[in-house]
Amino acid sequence: MSQDDTDVVRMIEIMCFDPGKTTGLFHIHEGSGTTALQVDNWEDVTDMALELAPNAMWVYERFLIGPQTLKKARYYESLWCEGTIRREVRKRGIEACGQIPNAGIPATDDVLKTLGYWRPSMRHAMDAARHGVVWSLLHGHLSIDQVQEPEHE
């Protein structure tokens, strides 16, 4: 007797990155919880991610470079960190998804609290968690009902 895809529980493991001068990492592993980290040295981010979760898919903020980039950017660490992430993805054959910030889907503090991801003192890690929430919604691992914010009266 075989199972069809609707009977199979798809467990996900993703390492989420919010590249920057301080880079946020947020590891989501269904069934065993989450880990939040903030890394001050962007050059160490990929090694830390591989040590923590060697089999995880990577989800990271992708930066769009345009004419305003040099005017807006004060710190280039975000771009350098993204480049390091992309290099490791190619070099190691890691499944990965670069996405624009929040992809138009709100992943607010209340959503992170509802999911049990909230760590109030870890702003950069929470930004990484938002990337994971957006990816999970877009790929069917979370439903909008799970992250719907209650209406305030």
Side-chain angles (χ1 to χ4, degrees):
M1 188 169 170
S2 66
Q3 292 181 318
D4 65 36
D5 289 339
T6 58
D7 295 329
V8 176
V9 176
R10 293 184 62 202
M11 299 297 279
I12 63 165
E13 181 180 14
I14 55 177
M15 177 61 72
C16 311
F17 297 82
D18 183 59
K21 191 168 186 171
T22 298
T23 295
L25 292 174
F26 196 78
H27 178 231
I28 301 169
H29 191 285
E30 286 182 344
S32 64
T34 61
T35 304
L37 299 169
Q38 295 189 147
V39 183
D40 290 327
N41 185 354
W42 63 269
E43 294 170 324
D44 296 334
V45 167
T46 55
D47 290 339
M48 291 180 78
L50 287 166
E51 186 177 313
L52 179 64
N55 300 313
M57 179 190 167
W58 288 8
V59 176
Y60 61 93
E61 181 175 353
R62 190 182 77 212
F63 294 95
L64 303 175
I65 309 301
Q68 296 299 312
T69 303
L70 290 176
K71 291 180 182 178
K72 291 180 182 176
R74 295 185 177 200
Y75 303 105
Y76 300 111
E77 287 87 347
S78 299
L79 303 174
W80 298 333
C81 185
E82 181 191 355
T84 300
I85 292 167
R86 292 174 70 164
R87 182 193 70 223
E88 289 299 314
V89 162
R90 282 192 308 276
K91 184 170 104 176
R92 298 178 185 273
I94 297 168
E95 184 180 357
C97 176
Q99 62 188 18
I100 59 172
N102 295 333
I105 298 172
T108 64
D109 294 350
D110 286 338
V111 167
L112 297 180
K113 290 173 188 174
T114 298
L115 294 170
Y117 294 174
W118 184 245
R119 313 288 197 292
S121 63
M122 302 191 83
R123 182 174 60 92
H124 300 288
M126 294 302 89
D127 286 343
R130 293 176 213 289
H131 296 300
V133 169
V134 169
W135 183 88
S136 295
L137 281 166
L138 291 173
H139 293 86
H141 295 281
L142 283 175
S143 72
I144 199 70
D145 294 338
Q146 290 173 282
V147 299
Q148 194 90 37
E149 293 186 48
E151 291 188 28
H152 301 284
E153 295 180 18

